[in-house]
Amino acid sequence: SKWKALRKLFRPDANNEISLLNFVQSCDSMYKKLRYFRANVGNASVIDHALESIVDGAFSFAVMLVLLSVMRVNPWPLLVSLSTLLVSISFAVGSSASKWFEGMLLVAARRPFDLGDRIYMTDPSLIISDGLWYCWFVEDINLF
């Protein structure tokens, strides 16, 4: 099993010899895979941290409500007054907030792009007159 993995990595010729060029290319391809793996782990931890902060906020709000009810303070007048304020603000920023939430779910759950992907802003088959392609490479995946 290990022999097959080494053979696959270094790709020796029929005489089981590896030229210096093939050795360097094999080491370079392994280095690229390791860098790609490290970047994926780093980006996953950034996304997990952002989602954790969102969940922490919701949990803190729930704990605050429980503490107020344990202290026999009625939180409903406060919540009703805050909800009227939030309803009025939601009409002003409702569509942009929903798009933001959709984008957060898209990046966090579906992960449509991966590191190194090329994203085109125009049709990639078209040749643009100035020779520039309207695209970029995904170098970092972040929620903020």
mmCIF file of all heavy atoms in Angstrom, residues 70-119:
data_model
loop_
_atom_site.group_PDB
_atom_site.id
_atom_site.type_symbol
_atom_site.label_atom_id
_atom_site.label_comp_id
_atom_site.label_asym_id
_atom_site.label_seq_id
_atom_site.Cartn_x
_atom_site.Cartn_y
_atom_site.Cartn_z
ATOM 1 N N VAL A 70 -35.917 34.285 36.104
ATOM 2 C CA VAL A 70 -35.542 33.745 37.416
ATOM 3 C C VAL A 70 -35.577 34.840 38.472
ATOM 4 O O VAL A 70 -35.987 34.608 39.616
ATOM 5 C CB VAL A 70 -34.146 33.080 37.340
ATOM 6 C CG1 VAL A 70 -33.571 32.818 38.716
ATOM 7 C CG2 VAL A 70 -34.221 31.799 36.552
ATOM 8 N N MET A 71 -35.177 36.043 38.093
ATOM 9 C CA MET A 71 -35.201 37.176 39.029
ATOM 10 C C MET A 71 -36.593 37.787 39.146
ATOM 11 O O MET A 71 -36.758 38.811 39.780
ATOM 12 C CB MET A 71 -34.183 38.236 38.582
ATOM 13 C CG MET A 71 -32.759 37.756 38.665
ATOM 14 S SD MET A 71 -31.503 39.005 38.351
ATOM 15 C CE MET A 71 -32.071 39.811 36.899
ATOM 16 N N ARG A 72 -37.562 37.155 38.530
ATOM 17 C CA ARG A 72 -38.965 37.575 38.559
ATOM 18 C C ARG A 72 -39.168 38.973 37.987
ATOM 19 O O ARG A 72 -39.990 39.743 38.469
ATOM 20 C CB ARG A 72 -39.524 37.482 39.962
ATOM 21 C CG ARG A 72 -39.477 36.067 40.431
ATOM 22 C CD ARG A 72 -40.102 35.873 41.711
ATOM 23 N NE ARG A 72 -39.662 34.523 42.092
ATOM 24 C CZ ARG A 72 -40.407 33.643 42.644
ATOM 25 N NH1 ARG A 72 -41.598 33.934 42.909
ATOM 26 N NH2 ARG A 72 -39.952 32.473 42.952
ATOM 27 N N VAL A 73 -38.412 39.254 36.953
ATOM 28 C CA VAL A 73 -38.593 40.491 36.196
ATOM 29 C C VAL A 73 -39.301 40.102 34.905
ATOM 30 O O VAL A 73 -38.900 39.150 34.235
ATOM 31 C CB VAL A 73 -37.237 41.166 35.885
ATOM 32 C CG1 VAL A 73 -37.416 42.371 34.997
ATOM 33 C CG2 VAL A 73 -36.521 41.524 37.168
ATOM 34 N N ASN A 74 -40.343 40.798 34.587
ATOM 35 C CA ASN A 74 -41.115 40.488 33.386
ATOM 36 C C ASN A 74 -40.408 41.098 32.170
ATOM 37 O O ASN A 74 -40.380 42.322 32.011
ATOM 38 C CB ASN A 74 -42.534 41.038 33.529
ATOM 39 C CG ASN A 74 -43.431 40.561 32.417
ATOM 40 O OD1 ASN A 74 -43.025 39.749 31.585
ATOM 41 N ND2 ASN A 74 -44.651 41.056 32.407
ATOM 42 N N PRO A 75 -39.830 40.264 31.291
ATOM 43 C CA PRO A 75 -39.105 40.816 30.137
ATOM 44 C C PRO A 75 -40.026 41.197 28.983
ATOM 45 O O PRO A 75 -39.559 41.805 28.024
ATOM 46 C CB PRO A 75 -38.177 39.671 29.739
ATOM 47 C CG PRO A 75 -38.893 38.443 30.156
ATOM 48 C CD PRO A 75 -39.663 38.815 31.385
ATOM 49 N N TRP A 76 -41.310 40.876 29.055
ATOM 50 C CA TRP A 76 -42.195 41.108 27.916
ATOM 51 C C TRP A 76 -42.377 42.577 27.561
ATOM 52 O O TRP A 76 -42.391 42.919 26.373
ATOM 53 C CB TRP A 76 -43.536 40.424 28.138
ATOM 54 C CG TRP A 76 -43.369 38.946 28.133
ATOM 55 C CD1 TRP A 76 -43.506 38.104 29.179
ATOM 56 C CD2 TRP A 76 -42.956 38.152 27.029
ATOM 57 N NE1 TRP A 76 -43.215 36.815 28.810
ATOM 58 C CE2 TRP A 76 -42.883 36.822 27.491
ATOM 59 C CE3 TRP A 76 -42.635 38.410 25.705
ATOM 60 C CZ2 TRP A 76 -42.503 35.762 26.671
ATOM 61 C CZ3 TRP A 76 -42.269 37.362 24.899
ATOM 62 C CH2 TRP A 76 -42.206 36.058 25.369
ATOM 63 N N PRO A 77 -42.540 43.505 28.529
ATOM 64 C CA PRO A 77 -42.635 44.924 28.099
ATOM 65 C C PRO A 77 -41.396 45.397 27.332
ATOM 66 O O PRO A 77 -41.492 46.131 26.347
ATOM 67 C CB PRO A 77 -42.805 45.692 29.410
ATOM 68 C CG PRO A 77 -43.334 44.699 30.369
ATOM 69 C CD PRO A 77 -42.778 43.371 29.957
ATOM 70 N N LEU A 78 -40.222 44.957 27.785
ATOM 71 C CA LEU A 78 -38.978 45.315 27.094
ATOM 72 C C LEU A 78 -38.948 44.704 25.697
ATOM 73 O O LEU A 78 -38.583 45.368 24.716
ATOM 74 C CB LEU A 78 -37.774 44.849 27.911
ATOM 75 C CG LEU A 78 -36.403 45.080 27.292
ATOM 76 C CD1 LEU A 78 -36.137 46.566 27.145
ATOM 77 C CD2 LEU A 78 -35.339 44.417 28.122
ATOM 78 N N LEU A 79 -39.338 43.423 25.580
ATOM 79 C CA LEU A 79 -39.331 42.757 24.275
ATOM 80 C C LEU A 79 -40.343 43.373 23.321
ATOM 81 O O LEU A 79 -40.078 43.492 22.120
ATOM 82 C CB LEU A 79 -39.600 41.264 24.448
ATOM 83 C CG LEU A 79 -38.481 40.458 25.102
ATOM 84 C CD1 LEU A 79 -38.916 39.022 25.282
ATOM 85 C CD2 LEU A 79 -37.222 40.528 24.289
ATOM 86 N N VAL A 80 -41.520 43.767 23.833
ATOM 87 C CA VAL A 80 -42.532 44.370 22.966
ATOM 88 C C VAL A 80 -42.052 45.717 22.447
ATOM 89 O O VAL A 80 -42.206 46.035 21.256
ATOM 90 C CB VAL A 80 -43.880 44.489 23.719
ATOM 91 C CG1 VAL A 80 -44.859 45.349 22.951
ATOM 92 C CG2 VAL A 80 -44.463 43.114 23.966
ATOM 93 N N SER A 81 -41.447 46.510 23.325
ATOM 94 C CA SER A 81 -40.952 47.812 22.860
ATOM 95 C C SER A 81 -39.808 47.651 21.860
ATOM 96 O O SER A 81 -39.719 48.383 20.872
ATOM 97 C CB SER A 81 -40.527 48.677 24.043
ATOM 98 O OG SER A 81 -39.442 48.070 24.708
ATOM 99 N N LEU A 82 -38.920 46.677 22.106
ATOM 100 C CA LEU A 82 -37.840 46.419 21.150
ATOM 101 C C LEU A 82 -38.381 45.853 19.842
ATOM 102 O O LEU A 82 -37.863 46.162 18.766
ATOM 103 C CB LEU A 82 -36.821 45.459 21.744
ATOM 104 C CG LEU A 82 -35.875 46.035 22.785
ATOM 105 C CD1 LEU A 82 -34.976 44.938 23.338
ATOM 106 C CD2 LEU A 82 -35.046 47.155 22.215
ATOM 107 N N SER A 83 -39.420 45.027 19.921
ATOM 108 C CA SER A 83 -39.951 44.426 18.695
ATOM 109 C C SER A 83 -40.614 45.481 17.812
ATOM 110 O O SER A 83 -40.528 45.397 16.588
ATOM 111 C CB SER A 83 -40.928 43.306 19.022
ATOM 112 O OG SER A 83 -42.083 43.824 19.641
ATOM 113 N N THR A 84 -41.279 46.483 18.409
ATOM 114 C CA THR A 84 -41.856 47.546 17.560
ATOM 115 C C THR A 84 -40.754 48.318 16.854
ATOM 116 O O THR A 84 -40.888 48.681 15.693
ATOM 117 C CB THR A 84 -42.715 48.493 18.402
ATOM 118 O OG1 THR A 84 -41.925 49.039 19.458
ATOM 119 C CG2 THR A 84 -43.926 47.783 18.963
ATOM 120 N N LEU A 85 -39.661 48.554 17.556
ATOM 121 C CA LEU A 85 -38.521 49.231 16.927
ATOM 122 C C LEU A 85 -37.922 48.366 15.820
ATOM 123 O O LEU A 85 -37.614 48.860 14.726
ATOM 124 C CB LEU A 85 -37.471 49.554 17.988
ATOM 125 C CG LEU A 85 -36.218 50.279 17.513
ATOM 126 C CD1 LEU A 85 -36.581 51.669 16.996
ATOM 127 C CD2 LEU A 85 -35.212 50.368 18.619
ATOM 128 N N LEU A 86 -37.763 47.068 16.087
ATOM 129 C CA LEU A 86 -37.194 46.165 15.085
ATOM 130 C C LEU A 86 -38.102 45.998 13.878
ATOM 131 O O LEU A 86 -37.617 45.878 12.748
ATOM 132 C CB LEU A 86 -36.900 44.803 15.710
ATOM 133 C CG LEU A 86 -35.718 44.764 16.669
ATOM 134 C CD1 LEU A 86 -35.606 43.378 17.299
ATOM 135 C CD2 LEU A 86 -34.440 45.129 15.970
ATOM 136 N N VAL A 87 -39.407 45.990 14.077
ATOM 137 C CA VAL A 87 -40.333 45.872 12.938
ATOM 138 C C VAL A 87 -40.231 47.091 12.045
ATOM 139 O O VAL A 87 -40.200 46.978 10.810
ATOM 140 C CB VAL A 87 -41.779 45.653 13.437
ATOM 141 C CG1 VAL A 87 -42.784 45.856 12.327
ATOM 142 C CG2 VAL A 87 -41.924 44.269 14.022
ATOM 143 N N SER A 88 -40.138 48.268 12.640
ATOM 144 C CA SER A 88 -40.021 49.472 11.812
ATOM 145 C C SER A 88 -38.694 49.500 11.054
ATOM 146 O O SER A 88 -38.638 49.927 9.896
ATOM 147 C CB SER A 88 -40.175 50.724 12.681
ATOM 148 O OG SER A 88 -39.134 50.781 13.623
ATOM 149 N N ILE A 89 -37.634 49.046 11.676
ATOM 150 C CA ILE A 89 -36.337 49.005 11.000
ATOM 151 C C ILE A 89 -36.322 47.909 9.933
ATOM 152 O O ILE A 89 -35.710 48.070 8.875
ATOM 153 C CB ILE A 89 -35.201 48.800 12.025
ATOM 154 C CG1 ILE A 89 -35.052 50.049 12.882
ATOM 155 C CG2 ILE A 89 -33.885 48.466 11.350
ATOM 156 C CD1 ILE A 89 -34.069 49.913 14.006
ATOM 157 N N SER A 90 -37.024 46.807 10.186
ATOM 158 C CA SER A 90 -37.007 45.699 9.225
ATOM 159 C C SER A 90 -37.642 46.086 7.896
ATOM 160 O O SER A 90 -37.252 45.579 6.850
ATOM 161 C CB SER A 90 -37.702 44.474 9.808
ATOM 162 O OG SER A 90 -39.091 44.712 9.915
ATOM 163 N N PHE A 91 -38.628 46.992 7.923
ATOM 164 C CA PHE A 91 -39.196 47.449 6.653
ATOM 165 C C PHE A 91 -38.185 48.282 5.868
ATOM 166 O O PHE A 91 -38.193 48.278 4.643
ATOM 167 C CB PHE A 91 -40.475 48.262 6.889
ATOM 168 C CG PHE A 91 -41.655 47.411 7.193
ATOM 169 C CD1 PHE A 91 -42.257 47.462 8.440
ATOM 170 C CD2 PHE A 91 -42.170 46.543 6.251
ATOM 171 C CE1 PHE A 91 -43.350 46.674 8.735
ATOM 172 C CE2 PHE A 91 -43.266 45.752 6.530
ATOM 173 C CZ PHE A 91 -43.849 45.816 7.782
ATOM 174 N N ALA A 92 -37.310 48.974 6.563
ATOM 175 C CA ALA A 92 -36.321 49.808 5.885
ATOM 176 C C ALA A 92 -35.184 48.969 5.288
ATOM 177 O O ALA A 92 -34.714 49.265 4.187
ATOM 178 C CB ALA A 92 -35.761 50.834 6.854
ATOM 179 N N VAL A 93 -34.726 47.957 5.993
ATOM 180 C CA VAL A 93 -33.571 47.183 5.542
ATOM 181 C C VAL A 93 -33.905 45.718 5.328
ATOM 182 O O VAL A 93 -33.003 44.880 5.329
ATOM 183 C CB VAL A 93 -32.390 47.314 6.539
ATOM 184 C CG1 VAL A 93 -31.869 48.719 6.588
ATOM 185 C CG2 VAL A 93 -32.785 46.814 7.910
ATOM 186 N N GLY A 94 -35.151 45.390 5.134
ATOM 187 C CA GLY A 94 -35.586 43.998 5.049
ATOM 188 C C GLY A 94 -34.966 43.228 3.903
ATOM 189 O O GLY A 94 -34.456 42.114 4.079
ATOM 190 N N SER A 95 -34.991 43.796 2.698
ATOM 191 C CA SER A 95 -34.478 43.041 1.548
ATOM 192 C C SER A 95 -32.967 42.854 1.619
ATOM 193 O O SER A 95 -32.446 41.777 1.309
ATOM 194 C CB SER A 95 -34.863 43.736 0.246
ATOM 195 O OG SER A 95 -34.246 45.003 0.179
ATOM 196 N N SER A 96 -32.253 43.874 2.040
ATOM 197 C CA SER A 96 -30.795 43.721 2.128
ATOM 198 C C SER A 96 -30.412 42.770 3.255
ATOM 199 O O SER A 96 -29.454 42.001 3.121
ATOM 200 C CB SER A 96 -30.131 45.075 2.325
ATOM 201 O OG SER A 96 -30.556 45.665 3.539
ATOM 202 N N ALA A 97 -31.171 42.780 4.361
ATOM 203 C CA ALA A 97 -30.868 41.840 5.450
ATOM 204 C C ALA A 97 -31.154 40.405 5.020
ATOM 205 O O ALA A 97 -30.405 39.486 5.371
ATOM 206 C CB ALA A 97 -31.683 42.195 6.687
ATOM 207 N N SER A 98 -32.208 40.211 4.238
ATOM 208 C CA SER A 98 -32.505 38.845 3.788
ATOM 209 C C SER A 98 -31.440 38.361 2.803
ATOM 210 O O SER A 98 -31.050 37.196 2.831
ATOM 211 C CB SER A 98 -33.891 38.770 3.165
ATOM 212 O OG SER A 98 -33.936 39.474 1.953
ATOM 213 N N LYS A 99 -30.957 39.241 1.931
ATOM 214 C CA LYS A 99 -29.884 38.859 1.014
ATOM 215 C C LYS A 99 -28.598 38.536 1.769
ATOM 216 O O LYS A 99 -27.869 37.618 1.408
ATOM 217 C CB LYS A 99 -29.611 39.977 -0.004
ATOM 218 C CG LYS A 99 -30.739 40.200 -0.969
ATOM 219 C CD LYS A 99 -30.878 39.030 -1.887
ATOM 220 C CE LYS A 99 -31.964 39.303 -2.904
ATOM 221 N NZ LYS A 99 -32.273 38.143 -3.693
ATOM 222 N N TRP A 100 -28.322 39.308 2.833
ATOM 223 C CA TRP A 100 -27.147 39.049 3.657
ATOM 224 C C TRP A 100 -27.266 37.674 4.303
ATOM 225 O O TRP A 100 -26.305 36.898 4.303
ATOM 226 C CB TRP A 100 -27.015 40.140 4.715
ATOM 227 C CG TRP A 100 -25.909 39.897 5.698
ATOM 228 C CD1 TRP A 100 -24.583 40.112 5.508
ATOM 229 C CD2 TRP A 100 -26.037 39.375 7.025
ATOM 230 N NE1 TRP A 100 -23.878 39.766 6.635
ATOM 231 C CE2 TRP A 100 -24.753 39.316 7.584
ATOM 232 C CE3 TRP A 100 -27.117 38.975 7.800
ATOM 233 C CZ2 TRP A 100 -24.518 38.866 8.854
ATOM 234 C CZ3 TRP A 100 -26.879 38.522 9.073
ATOM 235 C CH2 TRP A 100 -25.596 38.468 9.587
ATOM 236 N N PHE A 101 -28.445 37.363 4.854
ATOM 237 C CA PHE A 101 -28.650 36.069 5.504
ATOM 238 C C PHE A 101 -28.558 34.932 4.489
ATOM 239 O O PHE A 101 -27.966 33.888 4.774
ATOM 240 C CB PHE A 101 -30.005 36.063 6.212
ATOM 241 C CG PHE A 101 -30.231 34.844 7.050
ATOM 242 C CD1 PHE A 101 -29.516 34.655 8.217
ATOM 243 C CD2 PHE A 101 -31.138 33.878 6.661
ATOM 244 C CE1 PHE A 101 -29.701 33.526 8.988
ATOM 245 C CE2 PHE A 101 -31.338 32.748 7.425
ATOM 246 C CZ PHE A 101 -30.619 32.570 8.593
ATOM 247 N N GLU A 102 -29.114 35.134 3.296
ATOM 248 C CA GLU A 102 -29.001 34.113 2.241
ATOM 249 C C GLU A 102 -27.538 33.884 1.860
ATOM 250 O O GLU A 102 -27.111 32.744 1.641
ATOM 251 C CB GLU A 102 -29.787 34.530 1.003
ATOM 252 C CG GLU A 102 -31.270 34.429 1.146
ATOM 253 C CD GLU A 102 -32.001 34.955 -0.088
ATOM 254 O OE1 GLU A 102 -31.360 35.051 -1.155
ATOM 255 O OE2 GLU A 102 -33.180 35.272 0.029
ATOM 256 N N GLY A 103 -26.783 34.957 1.761
ATOM 257 C CA GLY A 103 -25.359 34.830 1.436
ATOM 258 C C GLY A 103 -24.586 34.104 2.522
ATOM 259 O O GLY A 103 -23.710 33.288 2.231
ATOM 260 N N MET A 104 -24.915 34.393 3.781
ATOM 261 C CA MET A 104 -24.263 33.695 4.892
ATOM 262 C C MET A 104 -24.546 32.196 4.823
ATOM 263 O O MET A 104 -23.646 31.381 4.986
ATOM 264 C CB MET A 104 -24.763 34.254 6.231
ATOM 265 C CG MET A 104 -24.357 35.668 6.510
ATOM 266 S SD MET A 104 -22.765 35.770 7.243
ATOM 267 C CE MET A 104 -23.133 35.238 8.880
ATOM 268 N N LEU A 105 -25.805 31.841 4.581
ATOM 269 C CA LEU A 105 -26.150 30.421 4.485
ATOM 270 C C LEU A 105 -25.486 29.771 3.277
ATOM 271 O O LEU A 105 -25.046 28.624 3.347
ATOM 272 C CB LEU A 105 -27.665 30.249 4.407
ATOM 273 C CG LEU A 105 -28.431 30.458 5.698
ATOM 274 C CD1 LEU A 105 -29.919 30.298 5.461
ATOM 275 C CD2 LEU A 105 -27.969 29.493 6.763
ATOM 276 N N LEU A 106 -25.404 30.495 2.163
ATOM 277 C CA LEU A 106 -24.787 29.952 0.966
ATOM 278 C C LEU A 106 -23.314 29.634 1.204
ATOM 279 O O LEU A 106 -22.833 28.549 0.876
ATOM 280 C CB LEU A 106 -24.932 30.933 -0.199
ATOM 281 C CG LEU A 106 -24.310 30.505 -1.517
ATOM 282 C CD1 LEU A 106 -25.140 29.390 -2.137
ATOM 283 C CD2 LEU A 106 -24.232 31.677 -2.468
ATOM 284 N N VAL A 107 -22.596 30.577 1.801
ATOM 285 C CA VAL A 107 -21.168 30.376 2.034
ATOM 286 C C VAL A 107 -20.936 29.331 3.119
ATOM 287 O O VAL A 107 -20.062 28.480 2.995
ATOM 288 C CB VAL A 107 -20.491 31.715 2.402
ATOM 289 C CG1 VAL A 107 -19.085 31.502 2.892
ATOM 290 C CG2 VAL A 107 -20.491 32.644 1.211
ATOM 291 N N ALA A 108 -21.744 29.366 4.176
ATOM 292 C CA ALA A 108 -21.505 28.466 5.304
ATOM 293 C C ALA A 108 -21.942 27.035 5.016
ATOM 294 O O ALA A 108 -21.261 26.089 5.396
ATOM 295 C CB ALA A 108 -22.228 28.983 6.539
ATOM 296 N N ALA A 109 -23.068 26.864 4.352
ATOM 297 C CA ALA A 109 -23.614 25.516 4.192
ATOM 298 C C ALA A 109 -23.223 24.878 2.867
ATOM 299 O O ALA A 109 -22.750 23.747 2.827
ATOM 300 C CB ALA A 109 -25.131 25.563 4.321
ATOM 301 N N ARG A 110 -23.386 25.592 1.763
ATOM 302 C CA ARG A 110 -23.166 24.972 0.451
ATOM 303 C C ARG A 110 -21.740 25.087 -0.041
ATOM 304 O O ARG A 110 -21.277 24.271 -0.815
ATOM 305 C CB ARG A 110 -24.108 25.593 -0.572
ATOM 306 C CG ARG A 110 -25.548 25.206 -0.304
ATOM 307 C CD ARG A 110 -26.483 25.662 -1.373
ATOM 308 N NE ARG A 110 -26.055 25.227 -2.674
ATOM 309 C CZ ARG A 110 -26.341 25.871 -3.791
ATOM 310 N NH1 ARG A 110 -27.045 26.964 -3.754
ATOM 311 N NH2 ARG A 110 -25.925 25.420 -4.947
ATOM 312 N N ARG A 111 -21.042 26.145 0.363
ATOM 313 C CA ARG A 111 -19.664 26.406 -0.072
ATOM 314 C C ARG A 111 -19.524 26.282 -1.590
ATOM 315 O O ARG A 111 -18.914 25.333 -2.095
ATOM 316 C CB ARG A 111 -18.699 25.489 0.633
ATOM 317 C CG ARG A 111 -18.818 25.657 2.132
ATOM 318 C CD ARG A 111 -17.612 25.307 2.838
ATOM 319 N NE ARG A 111 -17.880 25.496 4.260
ATOM 320 C CZ ARG A 111 -16.984 25.309 5.164
ATOM 321 N NH1 ARG A 111 -15.802 24.937 4.841
ATOM 322 N NH2 ARG A 111 -17.285 25.501 6.415
ATOM 323 N N PRO A 112 -20.088 27.241 -2.327
ATOM 324 C CA PRO A 112 -20.106 27.133 -3.789
ATOM 325 C C PRO A 112 -18.744 27.305 -4.444
ATOM 326 O O PRO A 112 -18.532 26.824 -5.544
ATOM 327 C CB PRO A 112 -21.045 28.262 -4.206
ATOM 328 C CG PRO A 112 -20.895 29.275 -3.128
ATOM 329 C CD PRO A 112 -20.689 28.481 -1.863
ATOM 330 N N PHE A 113 -17.818 27.971 -3.778
ATOM 331 C CA PHE A 113 -16.497 28.188 -4.341
ATOM 332 C C PHE A 113 -15.466 27.572 -3.428
ATOM 333 O O PHE A 113 -15.619 27.524 -2.223
ATOM 334 C CB PHE A 113 -16.198 29.682 -4.503
ATOM 335 C CG PHE A 113 -17.223 30.400 -5.327
ATOM 336 C CD1 PHE A 113 -18.048 31.353 -4.767
ATOM 337 C CD2 PHE A 113 -17.355 30.114 -6.669
ATOM 338 C CE1 PHE A 113 -18.985 32.008 -5.526
ATOM 339 C CE2 PHE A 113 -18.293 30.763 -7.436
ATOM 340 C CZ PHE A 113 -19.107 31.716 -6.858
ATOM 341 N N ASP A 114 -14.382 27.132 -4.018
ATOM 342 C CA ASP A 114 -13.293 26.572 -3.253
ATOM 343 C C ASP A 114 -12.041 27.382 -3.554
ATOM 344 O O ASP A 114 -11.999 28.162 -4.508
ATOM 345 C CB ASP A 114 -13.083 25.104 -3.626
ATOM 346 C CG ASP A 114 -12.402 24.327 -2.535
ATOM 347 O OD1 ASP A 114 -12.110 24.921 -1.475
ATOM 348 O OD2 ASP A 114 -12.162 23.133 -2.731
ATOM 349 N N LEU A 115 -11.020 27.213 -2.758
ATOM 350 C CA LEU A 115 -9.777 27.949 -2.972
ATOM 351 C C LEU A 115 -9.198 27.611 -4.337
ATOM 352 O O LEU A 115 -9.186 26.460 -4.751
ATOM 353 C CB LEU A 115 -8.764 27.600 -1.893
ATOM 354 C CG LEU A 115 -9.128 28.059 -0.490
ATOM 355 C CD1 LEU A 115 -8.114 27.522 0.486
ATOM 356 C CD2 LEU A 115 -9.190 29.547 -0.411
ATOM 357 N N GLY A 116 -8.739 28.632 -5.029
ATOM 358 C CA GLY A 116 -8.134 28.439 -6.337
ATOM 359 C C GLY A 116 -9.112 28.466 -7.487
ATOM 360 O O GLY A 116 -8.700 28.427 -8.641
ATOM 361 N N ASP A 117 -10.419 28.523 -7.202
ATOM 362 C CA ASP A 117 -11.406 28.595 -8.276
ATOM 363 C C ASP A 117 -11.305 29.943 -8.977
ATOM 364 O O ASP A 117 -11.043 30.971 -8.359
ATOM 365 C CB ASP A 117 -12.830 28.427 -7.735
ATOM 366 C CG ASP A 117 -13.146 27.000 -7.352
ATOM 367 O OD1 ASP A 117 -12.314 26.126 -7.640
ATOM 368 O OD2 ASP A 117 -14.221 26.774 -6.778
ATOM 369 N N ARG A 118 -11.514 29.928 -10.275
ATOM 370 C CA ARG A 118 -11.537 31.163 -11.049
ATOM 371 C C ARG A 118 -12.997 31.531 -11.283
ATOM 372 O O ARG A 118 -13.772 30.727 -11.772
ATOM 373 C CB ARG A 118 -10.830 30.987 -12.382
ATOM 374 C CG ARG A 118 -10.828 32.269 -13.216
ATOM 375 C CD ARG A 118 -10.131 32.075 -14.506
ATOM 376 N NE ARG A 118 -8.694 31.933 -14.239
ATOM 377 C CZ ARG A 118 -7.790 31.839 -15.185
ATOM 378 N NH1 ARG A 118 -8.129 31.841 -16.431
ATOM 379 N NH2 ARG A 118 -6.516 31.713 -14.874
ATOM 380 N N ILE A 119 -13.353 32.761 -10.937
ATOM 381 C CA ILE A 119 -14.734 33.226 -11.074
ATOM 382 C C ILE A 119 -14.754 34.299 -12.156
ATOM 383 O O ILE A 119 -14.076 35.313 -12.052
ATOM 384 C CB ILE A 119 -15.262 33.788 -9.741
ATOM 385 C CG1 ILE A 119 -15.195 32.701 -8.680
ATOM 386 C CG2 ILE A 119 -16.680 34.292 -9.903
ATOM 387 C CD1 ILE A 119 -15.492 33.180 -7.295
#
